[in-house]
Amino acid sequence: MAKKAITSRSKSQPTARAAMPVKQTPKAARPKSTKAKPINSGPTKFKPIKFKPWTHAEVAEVFSRFRKANPEPKGELEHLNPYTLLVAVALSAQATDVGVNKATRHLFPVADTPERMVALGEEKVRDYIKTIGLYRTKARNVIALSEQLIALHGSQVPRDREALEALPGVGRKTANVVLNIAFGESTIAVDTHLFRVGNRTGLAPGKTPLAVELGLLKIVPPEFARHAHHWLILHGRYTCVARKPRCEVCIINDLCRWPEKTV
Ligand code: SF4
């Protein structure tokens, strides 16, 4: 299978509650979680602005331009099959695609199936991915999700959102990436770049990645739905960058609603 990609990140944020005395439940009485917490559930901080709504024609124009500039957009996470795609996306939380690729170029040739990953063992997986953030948790999740794939899905990656999200360390965004890239479904995985672009442009403002995802699903015309998330992620990664967006070379700058755009 051709190499493809995507990225993902999240931020944990301290809250005011941390400073307050909290009545503790005895450890033994607390219910045990049966599922690892997704570590790439996406960004949560962005202040939406009120925008003039986009018309259908304007949205179609934006995606026509993206398609014209890049008819077959690809992600940048390297993988060999749906299983290694799933692992690569799970590893990419709070890490760059470049960093993940550097590690998986050595890992995947020796562990490209759940069985081979489990046989390799958590300690060795840790060694392969120790240059990636949160590598201890990620190594544990990779082994656990591989074991679940073997036990529950005949070692195959399920084409089913619920089943994917039930895997250790897999959240909605990872499931969306796998469903889109491995199975050709028109899902939209909202990472930090797409979250920013959805809000800045006013295409799909939202306080959470899920709100942005649902907003985009409502407005993206069906003919662009398959590649919409790639176009938007790449736009955010290379043009509508976080600190100093490159509005002067942006192909949608006349349509963008961001009041601070520089053109
Ligand atoms: S005009 Fe500027 S802010 Fe708007 S989408 Fe383009 S790069 Fe981003």
Side-chain angles (χ1 to χ4, degrees), residues 66 197 200-201 235 239-241 244-258 260-263:
F66 283 145
V197 171
R200 253 188 200 161
T201 58
H235 186 65
T239 305
C240 194
V241 293
K244 211 171 166 207
R246 302 172 63 221
C247 304
E248 66 285 358
V249 295
C250 173
I251 60 173
I252 61 165
N253 58 18
D254 55 322
L255 296 165
C256 172
R257 305 288 204 260
W258 195 39
E260 295 172 42
K261 66 182 181 182
T262 59
V263 286

Side-chain angles (χ1 to χ4, degrees), residues 12 49 143 212 222:
S12 57
I49 311 165
I143 293 296
V212 172

Side-chain angles (χ1 to χ4, degrees), residues 185-199:
E185 296 198 8
S186 298
T187 52
I188 294 182
V190 177
D191 75 345
T192 188
H193 302 297
L194 205 154
F195 186 71
R196 181 174 64 254
V197 171
N199 274 290

Side-chain angles (χ1 to χ4, degrees), residues 40-224:
N40 57 347
S41 50
T44 54
K45 221 169 68 172
F46 200 95
K47 197 177 166 193
I49 311 165
K50 285 266 177 203
F51 295 103
K52 180 183 152 209
W54 286 69
T55 65
H56 293 304
E58 285 175 323
V59 176
E61 175 62 22
V62 160
F63 286 100
S64 296
R65 292 184 197 178
F66 283 145
R67 181 171 62 187
K68 195 170 171 204
N70 185 3
E72 285 294 324
K74 303 270 188 270
E76 291 166 344
L77 271 183
E78 296 174 6
H79 61 280
L80 307 170
N81 52 36
Y83 169 69
T84 50
L85 171 66
L86 174 63
V87 172
V89 182
L91 294 178
S92 71
Q94 296 185 28
T96 64
D97 288 359
V98 173
V100 171
N101 290 341
K102 267 188 197 160
T104 57
R105 263 174 221 151
H106 300 284
L107 172 65
F108 289 160
V110 296
D112 60 349
T113 65
E115 285 84 358
R116 293 181 81 190
M117 193 68 79
V118 171
L120 192 61
E122 187 177 325
E123 204 176 314
K124 288 216 173 101
V125 171
R126 239 180 4 230
D127 281 347
Y128 276 105
I129 66 166
K130 65 187 173 194
T131 51
I132 304 174
L134 303 172
Y135 71 97
R136 290 175 193 280
T137 307
K138 289 176 181 176
R140 195 161 54 242
N141 282 341
V142 166
I143 293 296
L145 76 82
S146 302
E147 287 170 344
Q148 278 202 20
L149 289 177
I150 296 168
L152 303 176
H153 302 290
S155 300
Q156 300 299 307
V157 174
R159 184 177 181 167
D160 178 86
R161 172 183 302 286
E162 205 178 321
L164 283 167
E165 290 185 23
L167 294 169
V170 175
R172 185 175 180 91
K173 190 180 70 59
T174 299
N176 278 335
V177 174
V178 172
L179 290 170
N180 181 280
I181 297 179
F183 299 114
E185 296 198 8
S186 298
T187 52
I188 294 182
V190 177
D191 75 345
T192 188
H193 302 297
L194 205 154
F195 186 71
R196 181 174 64 254
V197 171
N199 274 290
R200 253 188 200 161
T201 58
L203 270 170
K207 287 183 182 171
T208 64
L210 181 60
V212 172
E213 177 189 331
L214 297 179
L216 285 168
L217 286 171
K218 259 191 218 157
I219 61 159
V220 176
E223 63 174 305
F224 302 110

